[in-house]
Amino acid sequence: MYGMIHRAARQMILSSGDPAVWPQILDRAGLEESDFITGQSYPDEVTFSLIGAVAAELDLSLEETLIRFGRYWIRFADESAFAHLMKMAGQTVSEFCENLDRLHANINLSLPGVDVPSFQVRSSDETALRITYVSSRTGLEPFVTGLFEGLLVHFGQTGQVRCLGPHEGGIDFLVTLDG
Ligand code: HEM
């Protein structure tokens, strides 16, 4: 994945309570600082070994690490060079989710060849959203859960996120919104 993702992971660790763990994460993943160039694409194995090393060094499960990284990504993206895209995508969780594919399509213009997922809102009302996530990658469901949780926080909304499982070539998520 693009180095921007790696930079977000680094930022997540450096802004946490224990930044001293960062060199150990790099060591464990067999990575160097030069593997963190925003505009360069890296093999997915590099990204996955970085996330695996974060999990091991923080003594967290891979699932919990991906959830935390998803939540963090929303804050990171909102302060990145792409913050305007976050703003343009919508004023509410549901409007934003309807525009997710458009947001990623815009990113494709700046980061050529990016392999972004697709999100389709199946149903939406004031109480819940059902969204199908389609990706060429596997195993990132907890990341998506964390992303939707991060979006709830971003929009000052409380609610719950649940992965419902495979559906029509993708994976369904239910985001319930508190009244
Ligand atoms: C301005 C905001 C955002 C930016 C700049 C951004 C950018 C990116 C980039 C660069 C990748 C890596 C793809 C690659 O290198 O091939 C990616 C992957 C991904 N993005 Fe976004 N994204 C943004 C917002 C979001 C949001 C709000 C969501 C969902 C709620 C999301 C869901 C994902 C997921 C799940 C992946 C992992 C790849 C996969 O599932 O195949 N992104 N994004």
Side-chain angles (χ1 to χ4, degrees):
M1 287 194 216
Y2 263 89
M4 184 185 179
I5 303 281
H6 302 171
R7 293 178 79 93
R10 173 171 62 186
Q11 190 60 32
M12 178 173 80
I13 300 301
L14 295 182
S15 63
S16 73
D18 190 10
V21 83
W22 179 244
Q24 294 160 31
I25 291 172
L26 278 185
D27 230 34
R28 187 185 277 269
L31 294 174
E32 294 173 12
E33 289 290 343
S34 58
D35 293 316
F36 293 82
I37 300 168
T38 296
Q40 189 168 314
S41 185
Y42 299 89
D44 278 2
E45 296 75 58
V46 175
T47 313
F48 290 128
S49 80
L50 176 61
I51 300 295
V54 170
E57 288 296 332
L58 299 187
D59 201 17
L60 294 171
S61 66
L62 198 55
E63 186 183 7
E64 179 58 24
T65 306
L66 283 167
I67 291 174
R68 287 188 192 196
F69 188 39
R71 287 188 202 129
Y72 185 77
W73 175 255
I74 299 297
R75 283 163 50 200
F76 181 86
D78 199 36
E79 288 169 7
S80 74
F82 297 101
H84 61 289
L85 295 179
M86 290 284 291
K87 282 192 187 63
M88 270 163 40
Q91 308 278 317
T92 62
V93 178
S94 61
E95 195 190 345
F96 192 97
C97 289
E98 295 276 5
N99 285 322
L100 264 174
D101 281 4
R102 213 163 294 150
L103 181 153
H104 273 140
N106 270 303
I107 289 153
N108 208 350
L109 300 175
S110 312
L111 304 176
V114 75
D115 177 10
V116 287
S118 175
F119 292 89
Q120 201 182 341
V121 178
R122 298 269 170 204
S123 64
S124 163
D125 62 25
E126 344 35 272
T127 60
L129 285 148
R130 189 179 173 125
I131 303 163
T132 305
Y133 156 70
V134 179
S135 166
S136 64
R137 304 178 172 96
T138 53
L140 290 177
E141 293 87 337
F143 181 54
V144 176
T145 297
L147 284 163
F148 286 136
E149 288 178 356
L151 279 182
L152 287 173
V153 173
H154 179 76
F155 288 106
Q157 172 91 52
T158 54
Q160 286 77 41
V161 181
R162 200 148 56 89
C163 179
L164 300 176
H167 179 79
E168 288 183 9
I171 299 179
D172 270 12
F173 286 80
L174 186 69
V175 180
T176 46
L177 307 169
D178 298 341

